[in-house]
Amino acid sequence: MKKFIEGSYAVAEAVKLCRPGVVSAYPITPQTHIVEGLAQFVADGELKAEFVNVESEHSAASAVLGAVATGVRAFTSSSSQGLLLMTEVIFNIAGMRLPLVLACANRAVSAPINIWNDQQDVMTIRDSGWILLFAENIQEVIDLHIQAYRISEDHSIMLPVMVNLDGYILTHGLEVADMPSQEQVDKFLPPYKPLYKLDTSDPMTLGCLAMPEHYMEARVAIQKTQEAALDFIPKVAGEFKKVFGRESGGLVEAYKIEDAKQVIVAMGSIVGTIKETVDELRAQGKKVGVLKLITYRPFPKQAILNALKNVPEIAVVDKSISLGSNSPLYTDLTSAFIGQDKVSKISGFVLGLGGRDITKDSIKQVFDKLSGKQVDCEFIDVKKELLEEEYAGN
Amino acid sequence: MPETKILYNPGHTACGGCGQAIAARLVIEAAGENTIIVNNTGCLEVFTTKYPESAWGVPFIHSLFENAGAVASGVESALKFLGKKEGTNVIAQAGDGGTADIGLQALSGMWERGHDILSVCYDNEAYMNTGIQRSGLTPFDSNTTTSPTGKESFGNPKMKKPVPEIARAHGIPYVATASVAFVRDLQNKVKKAISIKGPKYIQIHVPCPLGWRHEGAQTVTVARAAIETGLYPIFEYVNGELAGVQKIKPKPVEEYLKLQGRFKHLLKAPEQIKKIQEIADNNIKKYGLKLEA
């Protein structure tokens, strides 16, 4: 059913339709509406679940870990410092091969403290073994959560999935989106069938100590599963289309890149802004396009190479930075081209940190600069005068 | 003899005379097979779950050092959702560091929320798994690797953190201390605790021959001396009220201290012994431990 809905409540409704048995979270802006929505569903009896109000994000992640280990579908949500506090548990959940869905309302990290959007938070856990999905708009927010459970709980995967949605832009923005029916979701997403669980009728030990003769294989197994997920994620998107009637999910989405001379690669809500800019520039006769990454982990190297093989100039725009190096997405993308016969010119740009506005003009600057000298890490819309004033002499 | 399931198998890799290894077995055998164990990182998890083996005959999960309280909360919530909580015990267990220090926040949350979980602290009074570093439950003047004795130090300068009092302040229905030296009392307390709905806390004194520096065969002797001197009071609070203590004919604290290398430096320091005797005397007074003839 089409409805005009805020992104956070869209997450809450989509998750409710997935019928989790345990929900646990700790408040952090701009994630709070998500769990407030779920708490209300539980309070109203619309969602039969245990809602656990914990004392920190570390405990929120730990509580849902315990719930999934006991064989019950669970959900948590966080952002920024909350995700950083969870980090230890985030790695643990993936290592224990427990399926879980977490919504991350992407936000800047301290210091300085800043509650506005960028994607530096999720980049801190990109190596954790989680499958990382990024939503462009509220429809995708809904669809990716439903697909996330399907991917995570499949016995060939058994890895947690994080659905990333840009803080404020998507969490507090309102859009018209189609909220599926319970029947549709039930048809697409069967009840969780644990592969292993804590059960007194069949006791097993979870979370063993692995010595050097066993540890490495456990990590390699996750890497192999991540590779397998590159095939499985599009398959789930295909099944989703059959039930819900729309294309959503998968690895990448190409927008006007067939004949493009310049393509921007990006993730999240910024892609909407880029698409509009592409339309404007195309109206002026410029051959530009955008490649959206929906799936960031596993990194869809082959899908990207296939999409970009004939594009001479590629810009990576990222709302995060690996300080002292380049943006994570830029590093990933350039490494994908290693060993290819034809390597395009690839430049890296960082923008929108801590909620700095990203306008169509910002995107036009990227296309302009892309024609110039190749750059690894150029910041867009930085106030030079502020840098000089504030950091003079440093 | 009736056939019983083995809930805690031999063959684990604990040191000889490990008080925690004995107590952990007593706890799970008292709790029975319908129990799920959530274990913080520490000696117990390490010596019982080295892949591909496990000593546990009950469902067991280890996640991290500090989160047993929160993981157990999730386990219990999931059991409730499944309608399986009735008849299933959940035990969250940890060492003293995992309880009094790094794991206290998660335990506090678990107690405050009122989950039907028994938390057990195996108190061997230091971080033994990492090599005998001081914890919040290390006793006064104990020589550990991070509270070493020296020209200007008699060892750990702080008193034991009053974790049972902290637990009690949460308003939970059952708080007790126990000792590996008194098996029946320990097992009765576990059985009593799991019969009560809500959060429960039992802190068990478990000597560590390696860290305390005594012979493995002396574990029970040392544990008993801790009680008999008044340095480890054994008590039980039900619904916030003191419901019972183990009465003693108090012995001087030297009788306990002299058994262990970690206190060896005190035997030539009478003023320190005096301070420790005061700790024991305070316990005896506070909990009414003295057996009146």
Side-chain angles (χ1 to χ4, degrees), chain A residues 164-191:
Chain A
N164 290 276
L165 63 158
D166 284 313
Y168 291 110
I169 299 165
L170 293 180
T171 57
H172 289 61
L174 284 103
E175 281 176 12
V176 174
D178 176 55
M179 187 60 66
S181 67
Q182 187 67 63
E183 293 69 37
Q184 282 175 308
V185 176
D186 287 347
K187 194 175 165 196
F188 175 76
L189 180 68

Side-chain angles (χ1 to χ4, degrees), chain B residues 20 23-24 27 37-38 44 91-96 99 107 110-111 117-123 186 190 193 200-204:
Chain B
Q20 188 180 28
V27 167
I37 296 268
V38 182
L44 179 57
I91 294 179
Q93 58 186 23
D96 47 289
T99 298
L107 282 176
M110 182 182 96
W111 292 334
I117 297 167
L118 166 62
S119 33
V120 175
C121 169
Y122 299 98
D123 181 12
L186 190 166
V190 170
K200 288 81 64 169
Y201 176 69
I202 301 179
Q203 182 172 306
I204 306 171

Side-chain angles (χ1 to χ4, degrees), chain A residues 117-119 166 169 264 266-274 276-277 317-320 349-366 380-381:
Chain A
N117 168 245
D118 66 32
Q119 294 169 348
D166 284 313
I169 299 165
I264 291 180
M267 306 192 291
S269 65
I270 190 176
V271 173
T273 313
I274 302 173
E276 277 193 36
T277 315
V317 303
D318 205 337
K319 287 183 184 178
S320 63
F349 301 90
V350 173
L351 69 183
L353 299 186
R356 178 70 47 91
D357 263 352
I358 298 167
T359 62
K360 283 185 275 188
D361 181 60
S362 319
I363 305 302
K364 282 175 189 162
Q365 283 183 59
V366 169
I380 301 294
D381 295 331

Side-chain angles (χ1 to χ4, degrees), chain A residues 21 48 50 52-56 58-59 62-63 65-67 69-70 72 88 92 96 199 203-209 214, chain B residues 34-35 46 49-51 54 57-64 66-67 70-71 74-75 77-78 81-82 105-106 109 113:
Chain A
K48 299 286 177 210
E50 295 293 322
V52 189
N53 275 305
V54 282
E55 77 297 334
S56 74
H58 196 284
S59 284
S62 300
L65 182 160
T70 312
V72 170
E88 189 195 21
N92 201 238
M96 291 179 79
D199 182 355
M204 59 177 72
T205 294
L206 305 180
C208 283
L209 166 73
H214 291 113
Chain B
N34 292 321
T35 303
V46 168
T49 69
K50 194 172 89 171
Y51 184 84
S54 171
V58 293
F60 175 100
I61 182 168
H62 155 254
S63 169
L64 296 163
E66 69 279 55
N67 67 352
V71 173
V75 169
S77 300
F81 174 77
L82 295 169
Q105 178 181 321
R113 289 188 298 271

Side-chain angles (χ1 to χ4, degrees), chain A residues 153-335:
Chain A
E153 293 171 359
D154 192 89
H155 287 185
S156 72
I157 304 291
M158 297 301 279
L159 283 176
V161 179
M162 189 174 298
V163 180
N164 290 276
L165 63 158
D166 284 313
Y168 291 110
I169 299 165
L170 293 180
T171 57
H172 289 61
L174 284 103
E175 281 176 12
V176 174
D178 176 55
M179 187 60 66
S181 67
Q182 187 67 63
E183 293 69 37
Q184 282 175 308
V185 176
D186 287 347
K187 194 175 165 196
F188 175 76
L189 180 68
Y192 173 43
K193 288 191 195 68
L195 198 52
Y196 28 79
K197 63 176 175 179
L198 298 167
D199 182 355
T200 51
S201 65
D202 181 18
M204 59 177 72
T205 294
L206 305 180
C208 283
L209 166 73
M211 302 297 278
E213 59 265 32
H214 291 113
Y215 179 89
M216 197 157 163
E217 284 71 19
R219 306 307 280 178
V220 173
I222 297 177
Q223 177 74 354
K224 297 274 176 211
T225 303
Q226 285 272 347
E227 286 165 16
L230 286 170
D231 292 329
F232 190 68
I233 293 167
K235 206 176 131 210
V236 169
E239 288 173 28
F240 184 88
K241 193 186 172 186
K242 275 185 213 154
V243 178
F244 300 86
R246 63 174 162 268
E247 300 266 2
S248 202
L251 303 177
V252 300
E253 180 200 319
Y255 185 77
K256 302 192 178 173
I257 68 169
E258 299 77 19
D259 60 342
K261 301 287 177 229
Q262 292 188 319
V263 167
I264 291 180
V265 180
M267 306 192 291
S269 65
I270 190 176
V271 173
T273 313
I274 302 173
K275 283 177 179 171
E276 277 193 36
T277 315
V278 162
D279 290 346
E280 283 184 16
L281 293 174
R282 282 215 169 239
Q284 296 165 21
K286 295 192 174 150
K287 295 206 183 304
V288 292
V290 55
L291 182 70
K292 171 172 89 178
L293 264 64
I294 303 161
T295 302
Y296 176 59
R297 285 289 182 272
F299 192 69
K301 173 180 162 175
Q302 201 52 53
I304 291 168
L305 289 176
N306 292 346
L308 298 178
K309 60 179 182 243
N310 297 319
V311 179
E313 292 182 336
I314 299 163
V316 178
V317 303
D318 205 337
K319 287 183 184 178
S320 63
I321 170 79
S322 170
L323 294 168
S325 178
N326 304 309
S327 88
L329 182 55
Y330 176 76
T331 306
D332 282 320
L333 197 98
T334 48
S335 82

Side-chain angles (χ1 to χ4, degrees), chain B residues 21 29 128 132 193 251:
Chain B
E29 288 183 349
M128 299 313 186
I132 322 164
K251 292 179 176 170

